[in-house]
Amino acid sequence: MIEFTINGNTRQLDIEPEMPLLWALRNELGLTGTKFGCGIAACGACTVHVDGQPVRSCVTPVSAVRNSQVTTIEGLTVNAAGNPALTAVQQAWIDHQVPQCGYCQSGMIMAVSALLADNPNPDEAAIERSVSNVCRCGTYPRVSKAIRAIIADNAGSAASAQGDTV
Amino acid sequence: MKMNRRLFLLGTTVIGGGLLLGYAVTRPDRQSLANRDHTSAGQSFLTTWLRIDPDNQVTVVVPHSEMGQGVLTSLPMMAADEMDADWNQVRVEQAPATDLFANGVLIKGFAMSMGLTVPAFLDRTVNFATLKAAEIMNMQITGGSSSVRFTGEMGMRAAGAAAREMLINAAAAQWDVAASECDARNSYIYHDASGRSASFGELASAAALFEPPRNPTLKTPDRFTLMGTAVPRVDIPAKVDGSAMYGIDARPDGMLYAAVTTAPVFGGKLTRVDNVDAVMQRRGVERVIELEDAVAVVADNYWRASEALKQLQPVFTGAEFDDVNSSDIFTQFDTALDSAERNEDVHAGDAAEAFAGAAEIIDARYRVPYLAHAAMEPMNCTVHFHDGRCDVWTGTQDNLGIRGRVATVAELNENDVTVHPFYLGGGFGRRLPQSTNTIDQATRIASHFDVPVQTLWSREEDTRQDYYRPAVSSRFRAGLDSNGQLVAWENVYIGKNEPVEAAHIAYQVANQQIDYVESPTHVPFGAWRSVAHSQHSFFLESFTDELAWHAKQDPLQYRLAMLSDKPRHRRVLQEAATRAGWTTPAPEGRARGIALQESFGSIVAEVAEVSLTEDGAVRVNKVVCAIDCGRVVNPDTAASQVESGIIYGLTAAMYGQISIESGRVKESNFHDYEMLRLADSPEIEVILLESDDAAIGGLGEPATPPISAAVTNALYALTGQRVRELPLKHYRFTPTPIEAAGNA
C-alpha cells in the first residue's frame, strides 16, 4: 500500500511502488488534468507539486511521495477554505489569454506557481531556469507577459501593504 | 462569388493546408432532420448552424475542431454579430460527427456548378478530407483557406443574418407591422414605433416556420459589434484548471490501455513475438495483440502496458529500406535535381535565352530535413466495440473523417460508428484522418475486446511513426544582366506537394523556369503546419537575399523594387521594416534579416534580429511580423496565432531534424528532437493589417514559412555566412559583419 495526500485527501493505493506518480494520478485516481508528454522529464507537461516543490511526475515513482502532500492542477484551484477559486497565476493566464491548445498549460501553471510561491520576484534568469516546459503552440511570449504581470502585482501589493503599516 | 445560398450555404475548412470539411445547409429536408434529431422540447433550429432556446439562449454549433486556434470563439462571434445576439447569451457547441453536418452533395454540386469534374473520392460521401478537395475549393474561392474564411464567411455570417431576418419576420407578423420597422439588438427584436419588444427565444418557434432567406443581407463592417474585437476565448477557462478534456483523457467505463510498438523501418512487418508467456504473467496485463506491422500489450493501466511491452521481443521483417540513411536520400535528391526528367511548374518568358544572354549567373543549392509534428498530446485513440457498432473518443482535425476511417477498418456502416469529439493537444496537420496509423491500430486492437481500449503512443512512437514534413532539396540559378538586374530565375525542386503555388515567386522576373522532379522515398509524409510553404519560403527568400547582397542592395529595397504591382506585399514589408527600425543600426552585436511570404490568402513579412551566444550559436532576440489577412475577426486570437506560427517555424529552423538511419528514424524524444523553450523564445511584435475588399486570409499557418529565412538572412548580415541547410543547431558562427549595403 502506498499512502499519500492528494489535493488534501489521504489516499491509499495498492499499486507497484515503482509506478510513476503520473500514471497513478491519471489511471488509478482519475485525475486527468496532469498530462503525459514525454515520459522522460523533458517537457514538463506532467508537473505537479510534492510538498510544494515542482516535480515531473512521469519519472517520480509513487514510492517517493509516500506520506507526502501532492497537489495537481485540480487541487490548485481549491483555496484554503476548500472552495473553488482561481489562483493569481490561473487568473493571469485568462487575463493574458495564454493557452492555445492548452495541453501543456497544467504543467506550465504548476511550474510557474511553484516558482512564484518560492520567489515572488524572480528575475528573467530564474524564470527561464524554472519554466523549462515545452509548449508546441508557442505561448511563451504570453507566458512571459503573464508572469511579469503577476510579479508587478506582487510588488504593488507589497508596496501598498508596506504603506498601510506606516 | 455567385452561388445559390439556399442550396449551397456551405462551410468548409482547410486546416494544416489539407483539410476540407463540409457542413450544414438550409435545405428543408436537412432542416427537418436537424429539428427532429438535435432539438428537445421548445427548441428550434433556424438553420443547422444555430439553435435558439425558449430561454433566449443562442447555441452556435461549430463544425470544426478546437486545437488552440480559437475557432470555438471566432466562428460564433461571426454568427452572433450578424444575428445581433447578446454575446453573454451565446453558447458554443461542438457539432456531432453525423451526416447532418456533412455536405458531400453540396461540395459536388458546388464543384460542378463551376464546371469541374468531381473526383471519384468526392463522389461517395463527404466525410473525407483531401488535399485535392482543398485545391478545388482554393481554385474557386479567391484566396483564403481557413475556417473563418469559409465556414465563417459563407456559413456563420449567412446563418446569423438569415436567423435575424426570420426572427424579424416572425415579430412583424405577430405585431402586424412591417418588417422594415423592426430591428434586432442584444437578442431582442424591437418595434420602436410602438415600444414593443420580444426576445429571440420568445420568437424562435414562430421564426422557424419562415423560409430561410435565399440571400440574407450581411452587415457592412461599420455595423460590426463583435467582429474586429478581442472577445476572450471561450475555451480558455477550462484550460487553466485542468478540466479541459483531450482525447487522452477519455475515460469510458471499464476502459483498458494499449501500448504499441510498430515496425521501426517503415513498411516492415511483424514476423514473430517472443517472451509472450512471461509478459502475460505481469500484473494487469490482459492480452498481447499481434498486428500486421505492430504489437500491442493491453493492460488495466497504461504504465503496466508499456512496461510489459518493453519485455516483449517482437521480430520485424528486414525490409528493403534497412540500409537507407538520410545521406542516401539527399544523394538521391541531388541526382534527381540534375536529371533531365523535369516536370513543369511555372514557365514564363524564355529562361533559356535569358540565361544565354546573362552577364552573370548565380547558383545555389538548398535543403531541409524531414520534420515530425511533435504535438504535445501523444497520438491516441479510444475505441469501444459493442452491439455491432462502435464508439470512438479522440481529438481530431476531422471528426467525420475519423468516423469514416474507423468504419472502413472495422468493416462497419458509418452510421454505426459514433465519434465523441475532444480538444486536440496540438494538431499542426498530424491529426488529419489521412494520417491513419494510430486510428487503424486503435480500431484493430479494440476489436479484440468488448470493453473500451485506449491506444496511446509513447513519445518515442509518436516521433518515429509520424507522417513527416518531407525533406526537400532545391536548386537555383539566377541570371543577371550587365546592370546586375535579375532577368532569369531557374528553380528545380524535389516533390510537388500542397499548396501547388509554394515554389512560385511574388517578384517580377520576366523569365522563369520553375520545375520539379519526383524522387519518392520510403518515409511517410503528411501535412505539416503551412505544408510546402515552410520549406520553399526558406529557399526562395534566402536565395532572393543572396541576390540582393550580391547586387550590393539593401535586402528590403531589393524586394520592394520587384513588387511594384503588389501593393499589399509592399505594405507588409514596409510596416515590418519600419517597426523593426530597419534603417537604423541594430544594437551592438546584432543584425536584422527580412523575409516575405504569401500563403493561405495572407501576406506576411518578418524581420528577425539575431545575435550570437558566447559559443557562437544563434540567438534570435526579436521578431517583428506584419501580416495582411484581409480582415481581422478577433485581433487577440489573430495575434496569438501569429506568435504561435513564428515559434513553430523557429523551432524547426533552430532544432528541427528527423534523420533516417538504417531505414528508421533516429530521433525519439525531446532530448534529441529539441523544442524551443521560454529561455530561447524571442520578443515578438505582431502588426495586423487589413485590406478593404480583400478576402479574409488564414492565420494559423502563414506566420510559419518566412521565419527561417528571416533568421538566416539576419545571420548572413551578422556573420557573412550563408546558411543553405537547416537546422541551425549544427552551426557555430563568428561575427564578421559585412559592410552594410544600399540604403541600410
Side-chain angles (χ1 to χ4, degrees), chain B residues 152-360:
Chain B
E153 286 289 273
M154 295 164 69
M156 291 291 166
R157 288 190 63 191
R164 184 182 189 276
E165 275 185 53
M166 291 158 77
L167 288 160
I168 283 180
N169 287 338
Q174 200 169 310
W175 300 331
D176 198 20
V177 299
S180 60
E181 294 171 11
C182 299
D183 196 17
R185 297 189 297 270
N186 282 324
S187 291
Y188 278 81
I189 305 294
Y190 292 90
H191 183 250
D192 289 334
S194 65
R196 276 176 290 193
S197 66
S199 73
F200 284 6
E202 289 165 335
L203 295 164
S205 56
L209 301 175
F210 283 80
E211 180 81 354
R214 264 177 109 82
N215 288 300
T217 309
L218 302 186
K219 286 182 176 180
T220 47
D222 58 298
R223 293 181 54 228
F224 291 167
T225 54
L226 290 167
M227 284 185 270
T229 67
V231 173
R233 276 186 24 216
V234 299
D235 56 321
I236 282 188
K239 290 178 174 177
V240 304
D241 66 8
S243 63
M245 298 288 280
Y246 301 81
I248 196 174
D249 301 324
R251 291 291 181 274
D253 286 346
M255 188 178 82
L256 297 172
Y257 299 85
V260 187
T261 193
T262 309
V265 179
F266 307 111
K269 304 289 177 212
L270 181 71
T271 49
R272 194 177 81 233
V273 182
D274 294 340
N275 218 21
V276 173
D277 291 345
V279 163
M280 287 301 297
Q281 300 303 312
R282 294 179 65 104
R283 178 173 172 184
V285 171
E286 297 274 340
R287 201 159 166 172
V288 172
I289 309 268
E290 295 183 24
L291 301 174
E292 190 185 5
D293 61 352
V295 62
V297 175
V298 180
D300 61 355
N301 173 301
Y302 178 71
W303 175 76
R304 291 189 185 119
S306 89
E307 288 297 299
L309 184 66
K310 288 177 193 163
Q311 205 185 333
L312 269 188
Q313 293 164 356
V315 180
F316 296 99
T317 51
E320 55 178 311
F321 307 110
D322 271 2
D323 57 351
V324 175
N325 297 321
S326 282
S327 56
D328 302 315
I329 290 172
F330 283 113
T331 302
Q332 173 192 318
F333 286 175
D334 282 339
T335 307
L337 286 181
D338 295 336
S339 77
E341 302 294 314
R342 295 185 183 187
N343 305 293
E344 176 178 336
D345 188 347
V346 175
H347 287 184
D350 189 336
E353 192 181 293
F355 276 108
E360 193 177 2

Side-chain angles (χ1 to χ4, degrees), chain B residues 520-543:
Chain B
T521 72
H522 76 297
V523 182
F525 64 92
W528 187 97
R529 195 173 193 169
S530 82
V531 206
H533 282 295
S534 84
Q535 302 103 325
H536 285 287
S537 186
F538 168 61
F539 305 151
L540 303 177
E541 281 298 280
S542 295
F543 190 59

